[in-house]
Amino acid sequence: MEFNFSPFPYLTTAQYELRPLQPTDEKEVFALRSDDAINQYLDRPKATSIDDAKQFIRKIIDGVANNLSIFWVITPKGESTFFGSICLWNLSTDPRKADLGFELLPRYHGKGIMQEVIPVVIQFGFEQMKLEKIEAEVSPRNLKSVRLLGKNNFTLAVLNKENPDSVIYELKRQDAITH
C-alpha cells in the first residue's frame, strides 16, 4: 500500500491549522533554517540565502506531490501566519513507518503549540497513513523536544553510538492506541 497525499490533507486543532508549504513562505523558511538556536540541534546545512529557502520549498513541494513526505505549515486558525512546520518524512512501506520532524520560529517557543499539533499528526499517521511506527531523531541536548516527545508517549529506542548527539525516540501504533 503506497502513500497518497492528494488531495492535500489539511489538519486542524482547537487553535491551529496545518496547511501546505507555499513559495510565499520563503522568508519564514529562511528564518527557521538560518537560525543558530534552532540549527544547533539539527544535522543540516544552515541556510545562507533566500535562494536556499526557495530551493528547500521546491524540494518539499515536490516531495509531497510525489508522496515521499507530508509537510505542514502551522498557522493560527483563520490566519496564514507561519509559526513553524511539522512533517512525516523518510517514509517506509515495509515496515510502515515515518520520521516525525517539527520546528517553530523562536518567538513561538514555549507556547504549547507543538503539544497541541503533534497529536493530530500522530493520529493522521496511524489512522490515515496506516503507519505501524513513528520515530523522531533528536539531540539529547534538546531537552524541550525530548520532553515534548515524552508527553506524546514516545520512548527512547536507540542510542546512536556513532553520533552521541543523536538519539531516536519511537511511538508504536499499539502504544498510541492504548494511551
Side-chain angles (χ1 to χ4, degrees), residues 104-170:
L104 287 171
L105 289 166
R107 65 182 168 272
Y108 302 115
H109 288 188
K111 299 183 184 310
I113 296 168
M114 281 301 171
Q115 183 53 48
E116 185 170 329
V117 170
I118 285 176
V120 300
V121 171
I122 289 171
Q123 182 179 9
F124 177 84
F126 288 138
E127 292 180 7
Q128 304 306 125
M129 294 174 65
K130 307 295 186 213
L131 297 174
E132 293 300 320
K133 181 168 52 171
I134 298 174
E135 296 179 336
E137 185 173 355
V138 298
S139 167
R141 296 179 297 112
N142 188 345
L143 299 179
K144 289 180 181 178
S145 289
V146 169
R147 281 194 297 271
L148 182 62
L149 292 170
K151 287 180 184 177
N152 285 280
N153 302 315
F154 281 76
T155 57
L156 181 61
V158 178
L159 293 172
N160 189 339
K161 291 180 179 150
E162 294 168 15
N163 180 3
D165 201 38
S166 174
V167 294
I168 297 174
Y169 285 79
E170 69 180 14

Side-chain angles (χ1 to χ4, degrees), residues 14-146:
Q15 300 180 77
Y16 305 103
E17 294 179 46
L18 280 65
R19 65 163 173 84
L21 184 64
Q22 303 292 333
T24 53
D25 294 319
E26 65 189 22
K27 288 185 181 97
E28 293 85 356
V29 168
F30 177 68
L32 266 177
R33 297 183 67 80
S34 65
D35 187 277
D36 289 330
I38 293 171
N39 283 316
Q40 72 177 318
Y41 299 122
L42 300 171
D43 183 21
R44 69 176 182 204
K46 181 179 174 179
T48 58
S49 70
I50 201 77
D51 284 336
D52 290 344
K54 289 177 181 178
Q55 184 178 356
F56 175 78
I57 290 169
R58 279 192 299 276
K59 176 182 167 187
I60 294 302
I61 290 172
D62 288 347
V64 173
N66 291 307
N67 302 307
L68 300 174
S69 62
I70 185 64
F71 186 101
W72 294 274
V73 170
I74 303 163
T75 67
K77 262 194 174 166
E79 296 181 32
S80 62
T81 307
F82 183 113
F83 280 12
S85 66
I86 188 165
C87 64
L88 292 169
W89 65 288
N90 204 14
L91 306 180
S92 169
T93 55
D94 186 25
R96 287 190 73 82
K97 68 177 187 150
D99 288 352
L100 175 70
F102 51 88
E103 57 190 349
L104 287 171
L105 289 166
R107 65 182 168 272
Y108 302 115
H109 288 188
K111 299 183 184 310
I113 296 168
M114 281 301 171
Q115 183 53 48
E116 185 170 329
V117 170
I118 285 176
V120 300
V121 171
I122 289 171
Q123 182 179 9
F124 177 84
F126 288 138
E127 292 180 7
Q128 304 306 125
M129 294 174 65
K130 307 295 186 213
L131 297 174
E132 293 300 320
K133 181 168 52 171
I134 298 174
E135 296 179 336
E137 185 173 355
V138 298
S139 167
R141 296 179 297 112
N142 188 345
L143 299 179
K144 289 180 181 178
S145 289
V146 169

